[in-house]
Amino acid sequence: MILKKRYLLLLSLSLSLAAQHAPADKQTKSVLIMNATAHLGNGQVIQNSAIGFKDGKLTLVADATKIRLAQGTYDTTIDATGKHVYPGFIAPNSTLGLVEIDAIKSSDDESEIGDFNPNVRGIVAYNAESKVIETVRPNGILIAQITPRGGIISGASSVVHLDSWNWQDAIMKENDGIHMNFPSSFNRGGRWAEPGASNLNKNYAKQIDETRAFLTNAKSYIADPGKDRNLIFESTKSLFDGTQTLFIHATAELQIVDAINLAVESGIKKTVIVGGFEAYKVADMLKKHNVGVLLQRVHEMPENDDDDVNLPYKMAKMLVDKGILVGLENSGSMERMNTRNLPFLAGTCAAYGLDREQALQLITSNTAKLLNIDAMCGTLEEGKDATLFVSEGDALDMRTNKLTQAFIQGKLLNLDNHQSKLNTIYKKKYNQ
């Protein structure tokens, strides 16, 4: 059995390497994209745009009908007439690169044992050569927040761009936040195909007290470290000085209320709710404490029997209307494989009430703000990273989102992947 597992692992790794292509070279020639409809990611649209970038940075974002450029200003010009330009989409709360094959333990490095692991850094386990990563880029997902799982405090996430040799090359923002799985007041029974009844979690108050005690002790240690160094407590320092965000994974109303109260009581400066299915019920509290929401996958069934069947599709609109900063995340079953569908989650939010440019913000500028990377990316603005793509149609519609070019920090990406190669092979076989 052990030999069989080793054989399967070696086979999967060899297939991964065989399908892998080298990351793109650093930008050396300046690029100008002309005549496309530019969706800036901040709600604005330029119908006939001029988008220029040099040395990995955007140098021009303008209406092409209102400017005049000297010949030779840019080395390469792309005529994108009839096409659309977007900022690269951002996938938060992701385990891309942390697991390759769920059934093979040795390729799964998404969690550590223990309940309180703020010192765990998910980025050091990130596999930049994951085959899954190259399947998300053709839909415009160019940036991800790599997030550990497990325990009450899972560890620190980092933000990466999705084209690199290794985790060191990939980093955009290291240790951007620490993730907490807030205790649930209910335990759900049943299996995936047979939902069971929800039972009251009798240990709910005790689990909150344990979490509160941990944060209190950590804060006390930071104020007076003493002689004995405690790396676990030490790793929480940035939560209390505001340089890191506490991402609290919570879905139910009571969970969210108790989580925010605990964060405020503990002196946490920045908090974001991840999941937030019932966040719309406490929108006023979220707004009062300036807490944003990374909304759970909207292509899901309602949580409760008496919920509106379309509630998951409407939640983004409900929160945005309340003035909450909202982004979209895609955790859940087969989350890594489903990362490619992130833009279509935003498309569903547009179909259920949001303006199309507002829906785009859910996976661009809003998420960039929630991850504190908005100075680098999230919108098409001069001075920001040239991380963007050109699509033949609406990038939020799976029928028309077909990328022709994509760039990360000005580097032109190879958008081939294992599936596109198979498509080419079998078209040739059947003379299509």
Side-chain angles (χ1 to χ4, degrees), residues 7-219:
Y7 171 76
L8 288 172
L9 176 60
L10 289 171
L11 178 62
S12 66
L13 291 176
S14 64
L15 288 173
S16 178
L17 290 172
Q20 193 68 29
H21 49 74
D25 294 328
K26 186 176 180 180
Q27 183 184 14
T28 56
K29 293 186 177 181
S30 57
V31 177
L32 176 66
I33 302 173
M34 289 293 295
N35 306 319
T37 299
H39 305 262
L40 305 190
N42 58 5
Q44 298 178 31
V45 177
I46 302 175
Q47 296 296 336
N48 190 353
S49 66
I51 310 293
F53 48 97
K54 299 179 181 180
D55 301 321
K57 296 291 183 181
L58 288 163
T59 55
L60 177 67
V61 178
D63 186 331
T65 64
K66 297 180 180 179
I67 63 167
R68 181 174 296 175
L69 292 172
Q71 188 173 3
T73 304
Y74 289 88
D75 299 318
T76 303
T77 300
I78 298 172
D79 182 5
T81 302
K83 299 179 181 179
H84 299 258
V85 177
Y86 294 87
F89 296 155
I90 307 167
N93 186 34
S94 171
T95 57
L96 281 172
L98 297 184
V99 183
E100 192 66 7
I101 303 173
D102 292 272
I104 298 179
K105 266 190 182 302
S106 50
S107 75
D108 183 338
D109 201 6
E110 67 178 358
S111 63
E112 283 288 347
I113 60 173
D115 289 332
F116 296 97
N117 297 308
N119 55 311
V120 167
R121 298 168 63 238
I123 188 62
V124 299
Y126 175 68
N127 173 23
E129 294 184 335
S130 168
K131 282 178 64 177
V132 184
I133 291 173
E134 62 181 32
T135 69
V136 307
R137 293 192 298 248
N139 278 355
I141 297 101
L142 306 181
I143 298 169
Q145 181 195 43
I146 307 305
T147 306
R149 298 283 188 254
I152 294 175
I153 296 182
S154 304
S157 58
S158 292
V159 181
V160 302
H161 60 75
L162 298 177
D163 185 66
S164 62
W165 286 102
N166 50 49
W167 67 264
Q168 293 94 334
D169 290 342
I171 289 174
M172 291 179 60
K173 186 177 180 65
E174 190 169 5
N175 302 331
D176 69 295
I178 289 176
H179 291 252
M180 172 189 290
N181 298 301
F182 203 79
S184 175
S185 56
F186 284 89
N187 295 319
R188 292 186 181 275
R191 295 178 292 178
W192 71 271
E194 300 173 4
S198 295
N199 301 309
L200 194 66
N201 178 9
K202 296 178 181 179
N203 294 318
Y204 179 63
K206 178 184 176 183
Q207 291 166 347
I208 293 178
D209 287 341
E210 289 173 351
T211 307
R212 178 182 290 108
F214 176 84
L215 293 174
T216 300
N217 291 336
K219 191 174 183 180

Side-chain angles (χ1 to χ4, degrees), residues 383-398:
K384 290 192 177 184
D385 287 353
T387 299
L388 67 156
F389 64 90
V390 181
S391 174
E392 290 186 358
D394 181 352
L396 305 189
D397 187 338
M398 65 183 296

Side-chain angles (χ1 to χ4, degrees), residues 212-228 230 233-234 236-237 240 265-268:
R212 178 182 290 108
F214 176 84
L215 293 174
T216 300
N217 291 336
K219 191 174 183 180
S220 298
Y221 170 84
I222 290 163
D224 183 15
K227 295 180 180 179
D228 297 325
N230 188 316
F233 287 159
E234 195 174 292
T236 66
K237 180 179 179 180
F240 299 105
E265 172 192 326
S266 301
I268 306 295

Side-chain angles (χ1 to χ4, degrees), residues 163-321:
D163 185 66
S164 62
W165 286 102
N166 50 49
W167 67 264
Q168 293 94 334
D169 290 342
I171 289 174
M172 291 179 60
K173 186 177 180 65
E174 190 169 5
N175 302 331
D176 69 295
I178 289 176
H179 291 252
M180 172 189 290
N181 298 301
F182 203 79
S184 175
S185 56
F186 284 89
N187 295 319
R188 292 186 181 275
R191 295 178 292 178
W192 71 271
E194 300 173 4
S198 295
N199 301 309
L200 194 66
N201 178 9
K202 296 178 181 179
N203 294 318
Y204 179 63
K206 178 184 176 183
Q207 291 166 347
I208 293 178
D209 287 341
E210 289 173 351
T211 307
R212 178 182 290 108
F214 176 84
L215 293 174
T216 300
N217 291 336
K219 191 174 183 180
S220 298
Y221 170 84
I222 290 163
D224 183 15
K227 295 180 180 179
D228 297 325
R229 190 176 182 189
N230 188 316
L231 291 175
I232 294 177
F233 287 159
E234 195 174 292
S235 62
T236 66
K237 180 179 179 180
S238 296
L239 290 178
F240 299 105
D241 65 18
T243 54
Q244 262 186 335
T245 301
L246 180 62
F247 292 91
I248 304 180
H249 298 239
T251 57
E253 179 182 7
L254 178 61
Q255 260 187 308
I256 296 169
V257 170
D258 288 341
I260 294 173
N261 285 334
L262 179 59
V264 171
E265 172 192 326
S266 301
I268 306 295
K269 304 295 184 184
K270 296 179 182 176
T271 304
V272 170
I273 295 297
V274 181
F277 185 83
E278 293 187 340
Y280 67 94
K281 294 182 178 180
V282 292
D284 291 340
M285 184 180 190
L286 292 168
K287 189 171 183 179
K288 176 183 176 182
H289 294 288
N290 195 29
V291 176
V293 177
L294 288 171
L295 198 59
Q296 69 179 52
R297 185 189 300 171
V298 299
H299 288 179
E300 293 282 7
M301 296 294 289
E303 293 272 340
N304 307 304
D305 291 342
D306 56 351
D307 285 335
D308 178 353
V309 70
N310 293 322
L311 179 60
Y313 312 145
K314 298 176 180 178
M315 283 190 293
K317 164 73 171 171
M318 295 163 72
L319 288 169
V320 168
D321 285 351

